[in-house]
Amino acid sequence: MTFCTISFLFGLVGLTIAIAIPRADSITPVLASQVAAFKPFSYYAATAYCQPATVLNKSCGGNCDANTAFQPIAAGGDGVRVQFWYVGIDPSLKTVIVGHQGTDPSKIVPLLTDADFFLKTLNETFFPGLNSSIKVHNKFADQHWKTANQILSATRAALQKSNLTQVTLVGHSLGAALALLDSVSMQQFLPGIQFKTIGYGLPRVGNQAFADYVDANVQLNHVNNKKDFVPVIPPRTLGFVQPQGEKHIQDDLSWLDCPGNDNPDPRCSVGDVKSFSKGNLSDHDGPYDGVEMGGATCKNVTAAASTIHAGCGVFLLVIAFSLLHGPLQVL
Ligand SMILES: *[C@@H]1O[C@H](CO)[C@@H](O)[C@H](O)[C@H]1NC(C)=O
Ligand SMILES: *[C@@H]1O[C@H](CO)[C@@H](O)[C@H](O)[C@H]1NC(C)=O
Ligand SMILES: *[C@@H]1O[C@H](CO)[C@@H](O)[C@H](O)[C@H]1NC(C)=O
Ligand SMILES: *[C@@H]1O[C@H](CO)[C@@H](O)[C@H](O)[C@H]1NC(C)=O
Ligand SMILES: *[C@@H]1O[C@H](CO)[C@@H](O)[C@H](O)[C@H]1NC(C)=O
Ligand SMILES: CC(=O)N[C@H]1CO[C@H](CO)[C@@H](O)[C@@H]1O
C-alpha cells in the first residue's frame, strides 16, 4: 500500500467516526443574551392561556402586562372545543404575534381529544402542494383546521395595519404543536413574509417527513424544561420525530442548544427523559427563565381553571393514552 492509500483509508476511518459520533460535541450553551431574547415570547406563549376578551383589552394579568407594546388585533376560541388563540402586533419587537393556547386541564374535552391519535396526511386546503408522505398527529391537525382561516385573515390584517414583514408564532404544549402547524400552513399563503416559531414543551407533532420539511422550511426553536416528558411523546416507535431547534433547560437552569432531531445526549430531552419514571410532569409548565405557563397565571378565569395546574392535563392525557395503547415506551 502506498502512503497515499493508507492516508486515504485513515481519512475514511476518521470520516466514519466523525459521522458516527456526531452530536455530543456540538451541544453548546445558549448565551445569556439569547436566553433573554426568548423572554417576551415566553410571556406571549403564556398569554395564550388567557380568555380572549382579557387578551383583547390587555387585562389578562402579568403575562399581558409584561409586553407593554402589544397591540391586539383579534382573539378567539372557547378553551373547550377550540383552543384560545390571538393575533396582535408588537412594534418594539417588529413582529406580528400569533399565540396558541395549550392543553388547559380545566377543559376536559380538549384533553380527551388528545388521547386517541394516529399519523395522517395534511389537509390540502391548508397545506397546498405539500408532499403526501408528510404526516402529522390527527388531533393536532383537527384542532389546527378549526382556527386556521380566522388566524390567517387576522394575521393578514395585522401585517397590513403594521406594515411589518415578520410573523412570530408561539405556544406551549398543544399550543406549540398548533403554532408549528400554523407556521407551515401560513407560509404557503403569505409569500415574502418571514416566519419564526417558538414553542415551549413541544410534543412530537409528525413523522420523519414532517420533521424534514420543518427543518428545511421553518425557523423553529423549541424550549424544553428539565425532565418534562411531553417533548418525547408520542414515541418514536409510533413514527413521531422531533424537528430540530431544541433548547434544553438543565437542572442548574442553564440553557443548552441541542442540535439534530431527537438528540440522544443526556443533556437533551431524549437522553434526559428515557422513560416516564425518569420524567417529571411538574417541569412541563416551566418556569421557562422565570415564566410559568398555564391558565393559573391568568386573571379572571373561572375558579377551576385558575386552581388546576396545566400539568394535570398532560397527566390525564398520558393515563388515557396508556389505557388505549398499553404501557408507553418513550423511546
Ligand atoms: C376587559 O374585558 C373583560 C371581559 O369582557 C371585562 O370583564 C373587563 O372589565 C375589561 N377590562 C377592561 C380594563 O376594560
Ligand atoms: C380538509 O379541510 C376542509 C375544511 O375544513 C374539509 O372540508 C375537508 O373535509 C378536509 N379534507 C380532508 C381530506 O379531511
Ligand atoms: C414525496 O416524498 C417522497 C419520499 O421522500 C419522495 O419519494 C417523492 O418523490 C416525493 N413526491 C413528490 C411529488 O415530491
Ligand atoms: C411599508 O413598508 C414598505 C417596505 O417594507 C415601505 O416601502 C413603505 O413605505 C411602508 N409604508 C408605510 C405606510 O410605512
Ligand atoms: C419535579 O419537579 C418539581 C418542580 O421542578 C420539583 O419540585 C420536584 O422535586 C421534582 N420531583 C422529582 C421527583 O424530581
Ligand atoms: C378583565 C377583568 O375582568 N379584569 C378584572 C379582574 O379582576 C380584578 C379584581 O379581581 C379587576 O380589578 C379587573 O378589572
Side-chain angles (χ1 to χ4, degrees):
M1 268 200 248
T2 65
F3 175 72
C4 226
T5 316
I6 290 169
S7 309
F8 176 71
L9 287 176
F10 268 100
L12 270 189
V13 170
L15 188 66
T16 310
I17 290 171
I19 291 168
I21 311 171
R23 279 156 188 162
D25 291 344
S26 54
I27 289 171
T28 51
V30 182
L31 302 176
S33 59
Q34 294 170 318
V35 171
F38 276 89
K39 199 144 192 173
F41 300 105
S42 310
Y43 285 121
Y44 275 128
T47 293
Y49 276 95
C50 302
Q51 289 167 351
T54 66
V55 174
L56 285 172
N57 67 13
K58 297 180 66 173
S59 66
C60 90
N63 297 322
C64 285
D65 299 342
N67 285 310
T68 51
F70 181 61
Q71 299 170 9
I73 293 290
D78 60 15
V80 182
R81 296 209 52 80
V82 182
Q83 301 299 109
F84 293 151
W85 59 270
Y86 69 85
V87 174
I89 300 162
D90 192 319
S92 68
L93 296 170
K94 296 191 168 35
T95 182
V96 167
I97 304 280
V98 178
H100 278 280
Q101 181 194 18
T103 317
D104 192 323
S106 70
K107 318 286 170 27
I108 198 72
V109 177
L111 278 187
L112 295 178
T113 62
D114 281 358
D116 180 18
F117 59 82
F118 55 89
L119 281 164
K120 80 175 193 186
T121 305
L122 291 168
N123 187 316
E124 178 73 17
T125 309
F126 302 111
F127 301 89
L130 262 68
N131 192 316
S132 61
S133 66
I134 298 175
K135 295 198 165 96
V136 301
H137 186 302
N138 64 312
K139 297 297 176 184
F140 294 161
D142 293 349
Q143 269 294 329
H144 174 255
W145 298 353
K146 290 181 186 168
T147 56
N149 283 333
Q150 284 169 290
I151 290 178
L152 180 61
S153 47
T155 303
R156 277 207 175 97
L159 286 166
Q160 260 162 31
K161 187 174 178 192
S162 64
N163 203 25
L164 291 167
T165 55
Q166 169 132 339
V167 175
T168 307
L169 299 105
V170 297
H172 165 248
S173 194
L174 168 61
L178 294 173
L180 182 56
L181 286 176
D182 235 1
S183 66
V184 171
S185 174
M186 283 166 75
Q187 290 185 17
Q188 322 295 320
F189 299 100
L190 298 170
I193 300 299
Q194 205 202 332
F195 286 88
K196 276 201 323 195
T197 307
I198 303 174
Y200 299 83
L202 172 72
R204 292 194 182 107
V205 174
N207 63 358
Q208 182 73 59
F210 177 74
D212 291 345
Y213 183 88
V214 169
D215 292 346
N217 296 287
V218 177
Q219 197 189 321
L220 171 69
N221 283 292
H222 52 113
V223 188
N224 298 338
N225 186 42
K226 299 180 188 169
K227 294 206 159 28
D228 176 14
F229 62 66
V230 174
V232 297
I233 55 171
R236 286 177 66 89
T237 48
L238 293 183
F240 288 83
V241 179
Q242 275 287 13
Q244 296 172 11
E246 179 186 357
K247 306 282 177 285
H248 192 226
I249 303 177
Q250 310 295 300
D251 289 342
D252 69 2
L253 300 183
S254 66
W255 292 33
L256 293 182
D257 183 56
C258 292
N261 304 103
D262 289 306
N263 193 317
D265 187 283
R267 293 166 292 176
C268 305
S269 280
V270 166
D272 197 11
V273 190
K274 286 205 163 72
S275 65
F276 279 119
S277 56
K278 297 220 163 57
N280 185 347
L281 210 47
S282 308
D283 291 334
H284 184 51
D285 279 359
Y288 298 87
D289 188 27
V291 181
E292 195 74 28
M293 302 290 165
T297 55
C298 300
K299 251 191 193 168
N300 300 339
V301 289
T302 64
S306 62
T307 51
I308 301 175
H309 203 251
C312 305
V314 181
F315 182 66
L316 291 178
L317 185 161
V318 168
I319 299 284
F321 179 86
S322 303
L323 289 174
L324 283 164
H325 296 267
L328 187 54
Q329 282 297 311
V330 172
L331 285 177

